[in-house]
Amino acid sequence: MFAFEVGGLTLEVSPDDTSRIRLIAVTSGLLEARPHEIGAGWPGERVGRAEWLGSCGASATPEAKTYFNDVFDALADADDERADGAELCVAASLLSGARKSEKLARAFDVLGEDGDAGALGVEGVARLLRAALCAVGYASHDAEHGALARAAGREAAALADDVVSRGSRVPNAATFDDFGGWYNSRGFELAPWLELLDLTKWPVDGEDAIEDDDDAFDDGESLDDDDDDD
């Protein structure tokens, strides 16, 4: 069992949750997708529920449909019932079998804008963290839809302020390398759930839950590693 705090809520991820999210990853086809491939067929920057569910293969199982609907509802704008395509890409990449560094690098790419020097401001970092947190949180057996969505927003905003406050070569922003430095210095304590971006780190029967590490990317991976796998 792996427990973590999110904006005043305590969530637990159990081995049963691990089995469910891995099955969803397989049946959706996202396990074999690379992060840069996810969302390639979406119609534009704003994505509707039908496009999201269709691209994720949500009809494969009832559990998959529930999970993808929950994630979409948490990220969608109530005014037009659409969600930001970049945020959905970040959320869906959780189910990819790619490395954490590749997923986070892609998140910086899709959330960034031309001319931002590869950096995200506080709002951009918050969007990244909220999308990733919703993807992880709704895999938990005790996630409550509305409460988790609100808590994820609060948690992401607070963490984003902490990330950007470290300083960067880009004023009032954080680069991919800055984010990695933050995570390895203190982020692994503030946001231990980010380790779950690696599907191999989810708890399974007969194994201990994730332990805190001085460097949460101590499996040979660092945030600034080049990933040459195709």
Side-chain angles (χ1 to χ4, degrees), residues 169-189:
R169 61 179 175 79
V170 182
N172 303 312
T175 65
F176 176 68
D177 289 341
D178 294 331
F179 188 89
W182 168 80
Y183 190 79
N184 288 334
S185 65
R186 62 188 267 116
F188 68 92
E189 295 179 330

Side-chain angles (χ1 to χ4, degrees), residues 2 4-5 104 125 129 133 155 158-166 177-197 210-217 223:
F2 175 57
F4 53 95
E5 297 290 327
L104 288 167
V125 175
L129 292 168
L133 181 50
E155 184 77 1
L159 290 172
D161 282 336
D162 194 70
V163 173
V164 175
S165 69
R166 285 174 47 91
D177 289 341
D178 294 331
F179 188 89
W182 168 80
Y183 190 79
N184 288 334
S185 65
R186 62 188 267 116
F188 68 92
E189 295 179 330
L190 297 175
W193 51 268
L194 277 169
E195 254 315 77
L196 298 179
L197 289 179
I210 297 172
E211 297 179 357
D212 287 339
D213 298 311
D214 290 338
D215 180 345
F217 293 88
L223 283 176

Side-chain angles (χ1 to χ4, degrees), residues 103-126:
K103 295 176 182 181
L104 288 167
R106 177 58 177 164
F108 268 79
D109 286 343
V110 298
L111 289 169
E113 298 179 359
D114 291 340
D116 64 5
L120 298 177
V122 172
E123 182 180 355
V125 175

Side-chain angles (χ1 to χ4, degrees), residues 10-184:
T10 299
L11 291 180
E12 294 181 341
V13 175
S14 69
D16 285 344
D17 296 326
T18 300
S19 297
R20 183 167 56 254
I21 203 65
R22 288 180 177 174
L23 179 61
I24 292 172
V26 170
T27 58
S28 67
L30 290 170
L31 183 66
E32 301 300 325
R34 303 307 290 259
H36 71 272
E37 297 171 333
I38 296 172
W42 291 344
E45 294 182 357
R46 305 290 294 172
V47 178
R49 186 184 304 272
E51 291 91 358
W52 164 248
L53 295 179
S55 67
C56 293
S59 61
T61 65
E63 291 83 1
K65 187 173 183 179
T66 296
Y67 173 76
F68 287 119
N69 269 313
D70 284 345
V71 172
F72 183 87
D73 287 339
L75 299 177
D77 188 333
D79 292 336
D80 66 358
E81 297 185 351
R82 292 179 176 272
D84 183 89
E87 294 179 17
L88 291 177
C89 284
V90 175
S93 72
L94 167 69
L95 301 179
S96 166
R99 298 169 65 181
K100 295 185 297 292
S101 58
E102 186 178 350
K103 295 176 182 181
L104 288 167
R106 177 58 177 164
F108 268 79
D109 286 343
V110 298
L111 289 169
E113 298 179 359
D114 291 340
D116 64 5
L120 298 177
V122 172
E123 182 180 355
V125 175
R127 291 170 63 202
L128 184 162
L129 292 168
R130 183 174 73 117
L133 181 50
C134 286
V136 170
Y138 283 108
S140 170
H141 62 279
D142 59 355
E144 295 183 12
H145 177 71
L148 176 55
R150 293 188 293 272
R154 295 193 300 269
E155 184 77 1
L159 290 172
D161 282 336
D162 194 70
V163 173
V164 175
S165 69
R166 285 174 47 91
S168 172
R169 61 179 175 79
V170 182
N172 303 312
T175 65
F176 176 68
D177 289 341
D178 294 331
F179 188 89
W182 168 80
Y183 190 79
N184 288 334

